Amino acid sequence: MASNSDSSLLTLPDGRSLEYRLSAPPSGPVILLPNFLGAPFQAWDPFLPSLHARNFRTLNFNQPGHGASTTPADLTSTTFPSIADDVSHLLSHLGIETLYAWIGLSMGAALSFFFVTRHPDRVGKLIACDTLSSSPRNAGTDDIFANRVKAARDAGSLSATVESTLQRWFGDAWIAAHPDETARLRALMATTTLDGFETCCNALRSDTFDVRPLFRKVGASVEEALLVVGENDGDLPQSMATMRDEVQEGFKEAGKDREVELKLIRNAGHVSFIDGFEQFSNHVLAFL
């Protein structure tokens, strides 16, 4: 079992390695925070002390090709349902029957919808942040993920992808004002492999990626839900408002009198727990 700073590896049934970290305090309820595309789970580290101070244990894991998690031989075989099964194996390995909460951002948030609807009552509180609802093909939009994979493959590395991603997430002004945090994230993102990036992009491109049919099932699967989005995160504030309405309807259909809120993080972008840290912390800790 991992210490506060060390990660461990789990060998999955297909032979892949899954990197995870279970952090203190030893007796607290567990909150899962997966990584998101391009960055290993250490990206969450600034937020974890706030959870530990409230007696929560935190469980992080890396999706394929991020950190020390390895990729399958077939880079097209990874889907959100298959990663949800990886999570189930991890929880069984650790003897964790239920999670107090799942806090996911972007790909980690989309994954949460697949997990909770495949494994009802294993997650108490769902917090989904800054996430798409479906693959480009299912949304009828240009395949941005295919273009990013091609650019990275043509370049032979993710260096340019990391820089463009940081700029897209935070903007030039924030990057200039926060050189230390930018450098920390850049170093973390540099550990992601090209195969890992492509594998996870393939999951995001897959026809199986469409959480819209799952929104109304969330209410029957968890106790409460909260949605969070950065104000400057493209069209996600609008699409997540629709998501909120659908999830809320699902709670009503499940006979649960729970209000589902969408919290807008002012002046924040896609990784809203970093450039909107104080607002994000206030909303999420109050919900927890």
Side-chain angles (χ1 to χ4, degrees):
M1 189 168 291
S3 70
N4 288 5
S5 58
D6 297 332
S7 63
S8 299
L9 293 178
L10 168 66
T11 301
L12 295 166
D14 65 359
R16 286 180 296 119
S17 294
L18 182 147
E19 183 183 22
Y20 69 93
R21 180 182 62 188
L22 184 59
S23 299
S27 60
V30 179
I31 296 177
L32 175 67
L33 303 97
N35 78 299
F36 41 95
L37 179 66
F41 59 61
Q42 289 86 352
W44 281 106
D45 283 0
F47 182 60
L48 301 190
S50 299
L51 298 176
H52 297 160
R54 288 160 175 80
N55 199 45
F56 291 116
R57 269 193 122 172
T58 54
L59 174 60
N60 302 108
F61 80 93
N62 277 324
Q63 300 180 66
H66 292 70
S69 291
T70 57
T71 55
D74 179 0
L75 301 186
T76 66
S77 64
T78 296
T79 63
F80 280 95
S82 75
I83 303 173
D85 289 342
D86 292 346
V87 177
S88 181
H89 286 299
L90 174 61
L91 297 183
S92 295
H93 170 71
L94 294 173
I96 297 172
E97 292 294 325
T98 59
L99 295 167
Y100 182 83
W102 179 310
I103 305 175
L105 180 134
S106 194
M107 189 176 181
L111 177 61
S112 69
F113 288 101
F114 285 91
F115 183 84
V116 301
T117 53
R118 289 166 72 87
H119 303 278
D121 301 320
R122 294 201 70 181
V123 177
K125 296 174 183 281
L126 173 65
I127 303 172
C129 314
D130 297 273
T131 186
L132 295 170
S133 297
S134 67
S135 65
R137 180 180 297 180
N138 286 329
T141 58
D142 292 338
D143 192 341
I144 57 173
F145 300 110
N147 295 335
R148 291 173 189 171
V149 169
K150 183 179 186 304
R153 287 293 184 190
D154 288 347
S157 83
L158 286 172
S159 296
T161 299
V162 168
E163 294 306 316
S164 64
T165 299
L166 287 168
Q167 201 284 330
R168 187 173 65 252
W169 284 353
F170 303 113
D172 293 333
W174 189 93
I175 289 171
H178 300 84
D180 291 345
E181 181 62 4
T182 300
R184 183 184 78 90
L185 291 168
R186 181 182 290 118
L188 288 173
M189 295 166 73
T191 67
T192 302
T193 66
L194 261 172
D195 281 355
F197 183 72
E198 181 172 346
T199 295
C200 290
C201 281
N202 284 338
L204 287 158
R205 298 176 60 215
S206 171
D207 289 344
T208 64
F209 174 35
D210 194 346
V211 295
R212 292 170 296 184
L214 305 180
F215 291 155
R216 293 200 179 194
K217 299 179 181 179
V218 170
S221 304
V222 302
E223 297 169 6
E224 296 183 89
L226 173 70
L227 307 183
V228 179
V229 66
E231 179 182 29
N232 300 329
D233 196 2
D235 62 359
L236 288 189
Q238 292 75 36
S239 64
M240 289 191 70
T242 301
M243 183 186 300
R244 188 219 74 88
D245 292 345
E246 289 291 298
V247 173
Q248 179 71 80
E249 194 61 32
F251 274 89
K252 291 180 181 177
E253 292 173 357
K256 296 179 180 178
D257 184 18
R258 297 285 191 275
E259 181 180 3
V260 179
E261 293 189 277
L262 172 62
K263 296 295 187 180
L264 190 69
I265 308 300
R266 300 292 179 186
N267 302 312
H270 188 58
V271 189
S272 55
F273 73 88
I274 289 181
D275 55 352
F277 182 84
E278 185 173 350
Q279 296 173 70
F280 181 94
S281 296
N282 289 340
H283 291 313
V284 169
L285 294 175
F287 177 73
L288 291 173

